Amino acid sequence: MSLSKVLTRAALGVQAPLVTVEVHISKGLPALTLVGLPETTVKEARERVRSAIINSGFTFPAKRVTINLAPADLPKEGGRYDLPIAIAILAASEQLPDAKLAHYEFLGELALNGALCGVQASIPAAMAALQAGRQMVLAEENQRDVGLIQQGETLVGKHLLEICAFLHNQSTLTVAYSQPEALQQESQDLSEIIGQEQGRRALEITAAGGHNLLLLGPPGTGKTMLATRLPGIMPPLDDQEALECAAINSLVSSRNLHHQWRRRPFRAPHHSASLYALVGGGAIPRPGEISLAHNGVLFLDELPEFDRKVLDALREPIESGEIAISRTRAKVTYPARFQLIGAMNPSPTGHYQGSHNRCTPQQVLRYLSRLSGPFLDRFDLSLEIPLLPSGTLSQKQEVSESSETVLKRVLAARQRQIERAGKINAHLSNPEIAQCCVLRQDDAIWLEAVLNSLGLSVRAWQRILKVARTIADLAGEETISRQHLQEAVGYRSIDRLLIFLHNSLE
């Protein structure tokens, strides 16, 4: 037989489209032609595959070899096609039987001695193979990642010879298995925070409802410390969420995903991060920080120092929970449902009142204007984190609530939300807000008057209702009262600061 077909998977975002590796061996001068829109790394497979086949004790055909990676309009990159190409060449040259090839998909990079190396995006490929009713054959290096998939069987091997012996029915391959590490208690605990009771309360509301939070205050008041404690009071990932996160992370890392299983992602990019680093990009788009933070937390410290265009690019993903990246060669949609936590100083000097402040209201307003109004509108809560009162540090500190204690209240509040709407409050749609966040007439009139005085939008109205609904859930109450609304409106510090600065200039 001079023609063979082997199935494999490409990597296109979190999707793994099927690729058919076709090999035809014909008479002519020895040559190897590779077609099907291959990148440079794929073209280099001809040398890796030739050496791997020879060093494994097989014969590389001294004829004209044509390799087609179909479909031809799908971009292919990386060394993931080495193994299927080698299997297809051996089958076409009748050194391997082709009877079993239709039941398997092959994926892996080959070393020159024939050893199998791990590849990225192994989890989406293994999941797609299982859905198609076939078994994926991978390198043992990917075992701990694909073993997280609890359905079906994915096979792994160490060497090209092992795969060939399996296809000859001379041996068996190992079934991928991985035991995720037990989720450990976060080492960073809320009890370590001195004072800042209102900040702790805002953090609890943020975790319970899945809201976005902006922390505003002078340097050294605990804004970053509060933000890093948020994952410790968030519920662990469920099976579906954990698999989604593992699939995204497998696109950028090919090992050790079991360490992060069920752990909420926490991403904190530097303020010098580019647009593509944050939202993703490239000729064949790769996930950015917002996708790597899917189902977790994206923490942006020193918020005004980020480029304004970069921050404004987050506005649509915050609302839709996904990011669509279009390039000439490919269009990829990545999930990006994250909680945005921002931290910033109120002025260029870090202060806006007292002897430390050396800025005029115009300079402070210019500094805050680095953040667009529509972007600030995406925060459900904004809170001032002030300096601790004089004498606080010298007094004996009472033991504060631990993260474990707060987590119990967060879990109870989330359970109420799931039973009521099937989702947490931050993800409620407009019709669901109207159904779940019903106000008494006098409370609605009062809230509208407050919004008009602060100059807030309808989006702010909806976000205040969601926060008030979460506050009521934490209190175990079925209806939203004026008290819940007042507390929700109290978490609008940035709006009040902007109004104060505008009034100072008049």
Side-chain angles (χ1 to χ4, degrees):
M1 179 180 181
S2 60
L3 179 66
S4 67
K5 294 182 180 180
V6 172
L7 301 178
T8 185
R9 294 279 170 178
L12 191 63
V14 291
Q15 306 297 320
L18 184 68
V19 172
T20 302
V21 179
E22 300 176 306
V23 171
H24 179 241
I25 300 177
S26 58
K27 296 180 180 180
L29 294 175
L32 190 150
T33 305
L34 184 61
V35 297
L37 204 59
E39 289 283 342
T40 303
T41 51
V42 181
K43 293 178 181 178
E44 292 171 348
R46 67 182 73 186
E47 305 303 330
R48 292 193 298 271
V49 169
R50 185 194 305 273
S51 298
I53 288 177
I54 294 174
N55 289 325
S56 297
F58 296 100
T59 302
F60 193 88
K63 298 181 179 180
R64 181 176 180 82
V65 180
T66 303
I67 304 171
N68 178 39
L69 305 179
D73 59 345
L74 179 69
K76 290 93 178 175
E77 63 174 357
R80 60 196 300 113
Y81 303 100
D82 290 3
L83 177 60
I85 289 174
I87 296 295
I89 290 176
L90 292 176
S93 60
E94 299 183 349
Q95 298 179 73
L96 275 181
D98 64 340
K100 299 171 64 175
L101 295 181
H103 304 289
Y104 299 94
E105 297 180 10
F106 300 87
L107 193 67
E109 182 179 339
L110 287 173
L112 297 184
N113 63 354
L116 278 176
C117 304
V119 296
Q120 295 179 350
S122 59
I123 291 181
M127 292 171 60
L130 290 174
Q131 292 172 358
R134 290 183 288 268
Q135 285 185 292
M136 176 65 72
V137 179
L138 289 157
E140 189 179 52
E141 188 177 328
N142 289 124
Q143 175 175 215
R144 301 189 77 176
D145 296 342
V146 298
L148 298 172
I149 306 171
Q150 302 301 321
Q151 330 156 355
E153 296 180 345
T154 301
L155 305 178
V156 295
K158 297 180 181 179
H159 198 279
L160 177 61
L161 283 173
E162 285 188 33
I163 311 299
C164 295
F166 169 73
L167 295 175
H168 273 293
N169 294 319
Q170 297 174 351
S171 66
T172 59
L173 293 177
T174 304
V175 177
Y177 175 77
S178 177
Q179 180 63 44
E181 291 188 358
L183 187 64
Q184 300 177 351
Q185 182 67 27
E186 290 284 342
S187 58
Q188 298 177 325
D189 199 275
L190 271 178
S191 60
E192 300 170 355
I193 297 176
I194 301 174
Q196 305 299 2
E197 294 302 324
Q198 193 176 15
R200 291 164 55 93
R201 170 65 173 171
L203 207 65
E204 181 177 343
I205 296 171
T206 299
H211 303 293
N212 300 326
L213 172 65
L214 175 62
L215 300 173
L216 180 74
T221 55
K223 301 185 297 295
T224 302
M225 195 173 186
L226 280 167
T228 54
R229 267 64 181 174
L230 180 59
I233 60 174
M234 295 174 67
L237 298 169
D238 60 31
D239 289 341
Q240 181 60 33
E241 290 174 333
L243 202 54
E244 291 174 0
C245 292
I248 296 171
N249 277 277
S250 72
L251 303 179
V252 296
S253 175
S254 60
R255 57 183 68 86
N256 295 333
L257 297 182
H258 61 285
H259 290 305
Q260 305 167 9
W261 189 251
R262 294 193 182 282
R263 189 179 301 278
R264 293 275 173 186
F266 184 86
R267 308 291 297 189
H270 191 260
H271 59 75
S272 61
S274 67
L275 175 65
Y276 301 117
L278 214 60
V279 304
I284 299 179
R286 296 293 187 186
E289 290 291 337
I290 63 173
S291 295
L292 296 173
H294 180 61
N295 292 326
V297 177
L298 178 67
F299 175 49
L300 303 182
D301 202 0
E302 304 297 343
L303 203 56
E305 303 302 328
F306 282 83
D307 187 271
R308 181 165 177 163
K309 292 182 180 179
V310 173
L311 295 180
D312 284 343
L314 303 183
R315 285 155 49 181
E316 183 180 349
I318 290 174
E319 297 295 328
S320 64
E322 61 181 22
I323 176 71
I325 307 172
S326 297
R327 295 292 183 267
T328 304
R329 302 186 62 186
K331 178 180 179 180
V332 176
T333 299
Y334 286 110
R337 188 170 295 282
F338 56 91
Q339 281 184 250
L340 177 61
I341 308 298
M344 60 179 291
N345 298 324
S347 71
T349 62
H351 304 266
Y352 55 87
Q353 58 186 359
S355 58
H356 295 288
N357 186 30
R358 302 185 302 275
C359 296
T360 64
Q362 293 93 333
Q363 290 174 313
V364 175
L365 194 59
R366 190 180 307 117
Y367 177 76
L368 296 178
S369 296
R370 297 181 184 180
L371 308 175
S372 67
F375 174 72
L376 289 175
D377 222 16
R378 263 64 178 186
F379 287 99
D380 305 295
L381 304 91
S382 61
L383 179 68
E384 178 189 352
I385 307 298
L387 291 169
L388 293 176
S390 178
T392 301
L393 297 177
S394 59
Q395 297 175 359
K396 183 178 180 180
Q397 303 297 323
E398 296 182 0
V399 179
S400 303
E401 281 187 320
S402 66
S403 294
E404 185 177 359
T405 302
V406 176
L407 176 59
K408 292 178 181 178
R409 293 199 296 268
V410 170
L411 291 174
R414 286 211 174 196
Q415 183 61 34
R416 295 186 187 99
Q417 298 167 35
I418 299 300
E419 291 175 354
R420 180 176 56 246
K423 61 181 70 173
I424 58 177
N425 290 333
H427 301 162
L428 294 176
S429 62
N430 292 344
E432 290 169 336
I433 293 174
Q435 182 179 0
C436 301
C437 305
V438 179
L439 301 181
R440 295 197 305 267
Q441 182 64 26
D442 57 333
D443 289 339
I445 294 173
W446 175 85
L447 182 58
E448 186 175 4
V450 170
L451 260 67
N452 290 333
S453 64
L454 293 176
L456 300 180
S457 65
V458 177
R459 183 186 288 114
W461 165 282
Q462 295 171 337
R463 293 187 180 276
I464 289 174
L465 288 180
K466 293 180 186 178
V467 173
R469 179 66 268 175
T470 300
I471 295 172
D473 289 331
L474 284 169
E477 299 182 15
E478 294 296 327
T479 59
I480 300 175
S481 66
R482 178 74 62 90
Q483 179 183 358
H484 304 142
L485 290 172
Q486 289 172 340
E487 184 176 358
V489 170
Y491 297 117
R492 307 293 302 189
S493 296
I494 188 65
D495 302 315
R496 293 193 295 273
L497 176 59
L498 291 173
I499 290 178
F500 169 77
L501 292 172
H502 281 295
N503 293 337
S504 300
L505 294 175
E506 293 179 356

